Amino acid sequence: MKLFEEIIHDLRSWMDGTGSARRDFSGTVTGPRPWPAGERGNIVLQRDTAVELGNPRDESASFLVWTSNPDLVRDGMVTRIGPDVAGKEGARFPLGKAVILAVEGFTEENCYERHREIELARYDVNLKGYMMRAVSQYMREWSRISREAIAGGFSLEVLAAALMERYRMLDYVRGAEILIVTSSPEDVRSLQRVGERAVRLIGAMNKMAQELSFDCGTCDYTDVCGEVSELRTMRDTLRRKEKALYGNN
């Protein structure tokens, strides 16, 4: 499926254009970085926090896209624009994060469920001293990192490696690339504009799959479906399945 390929090209242009002048790190993660696991629902209290990323008072933009074309994904690559959290104490940074996955076996019938699995995977990353909260439909992600974790050498590379490892546990994920932006609110807002279209595509997909809503005259996503053939095919596939189950009622 090519649902997000135009967005991936736009993101690559952003990274090579707007982001390239302020790139602080770009390298390949070849495996997980050793880090102790935290408890399920790991909580970092304010009094124990050394670093915050994407605090509700700051800018935050986080989104995920996937493609069946592995040539569009630089597997294992982590790009950081802005400072790392390593060694910081009492710091707050804006947060931009974009994940690009290479996948296989995605169809109009299974992409909704698989996208949900991918989205939920980031909540299953349990690192001691790291807490994350997210609201996908608003592209918001907020993280806290404890003083103990920072003292022990926690870094954004540790986080990226753990995320990649978790995504690869899904048997249809064949590659992962991650961009993290902490440089400035302006850079995060600029990245957000790239991701807004991805959020619209996901919103349209969710509406069709969750609500079984096919009335284009009352839908807020008509413009998106009109431009993306995969969404039109998905709509028609779900409509046929609904008629097979319920007839014309």
Side-chain angles (χ1 to χ4, degrees), residues 20-223:
S20 63
R22 291 180 291 283
R23 186 174 299 168
D24 290 87
F25 174 81
S26 183
T28 301
V29 174
T30 56
R33 298 294 187 267
W35 194 263
E39 298 179 359
R40 290 284 178 178
N42 192 31
I43 294 175
V44 177
L45 300 176
Q46 181 67 55
R47 65 174 180 268
D48 300 321
T49 299
V51 177
E52 285 189 280
L53 297 162
N55 182 288
R57 291 171 289 177
D58 301 321
E59 293 293 336
S60 176
S62 176
F63 62 97
L64 179 148
V65 290
W66 39 260
T67 175
S68 58
N69 182 356
D71 292 337
L72 296 181
V73 182
R74 298 180 292 196
D75 186 30
M77 179 66 71
V78 177
T79 299
R80 173 169 49 84
I81 297 170
D84 198 354
V85 299
K88 301 295 191 299
E89 177 71 36
R92 261 177 39 196
F93 299 104
L95 175 64
K97 190 175 78 166
V99 177
I100 312 172
L101 298 181
V103 300
E104 66 177 12
F106 274 49
T107 68
E108 286 79 7
E109 291 188 346
N110 68 24
C111 66
Y112 167 71
E113 290 298 335
R114 288 189 171 188
H115 183 85
R116 277 182 54 81
E117 288 179 344
I118 289 170
E119 272 290 320
L120 291 173
R122 61 175 164 170
Y123 297 98
D124 199 32
V125 173
N126 294 305
L127 299 171
K128 186 176 182 180
Y130 171 78
M131 179 186 80
M132 187 275 290
R133 300 291 182 266
V135 185
S136 297
Q137 62 266 40
Y138 299 114
M139 297 174 63
R140 301 288 307 184
E141 185 170 311
W142 172 28
S143 302
R144 283 179 175 173
I145 305 166
S146 72
R147 291 189 176 91
E148 182 181 1
I150 291 297
F154 190 93
S155 69
L156 293 177
E157 189 176 352
V158 168
L159 174 59
L163 283 167
M164 287 183 178
E165 181 185 22
R166 180 61 186 85
Y167 289 129
R168 290 193 179 103
M169 290 173 65
L170 299 168
D171 59 10
Y172 46 77
V173 172
R174 292 292 174 263
E177 178 179 355
I178 296 178
L179 165 70
I180 299 176
V181 179
T182 60
S183 49
S184 70
E186 292 77 18
D187 286 343
V188 173
R189 284 193 293 269
S190 177
L191 178 65
Q192 182 178 31
R193 288 191 286 272
V194 177
E196 283 172 350
R197 181 168 167 76
V199 173
R200 290 279 292 165
L201 290 172
I202 293 163
M205 182 171 62
N206 290 346
K207 184 177 180 67
M208 284 188 290
Q210 292 175 352
E211 302 177 18
L212 291 177
S213 176
F214 311 113
D215 184 358
C216 297
T218 61
C219 181
D220 295 332
Y221 298 100
T222 304
D223 58 326

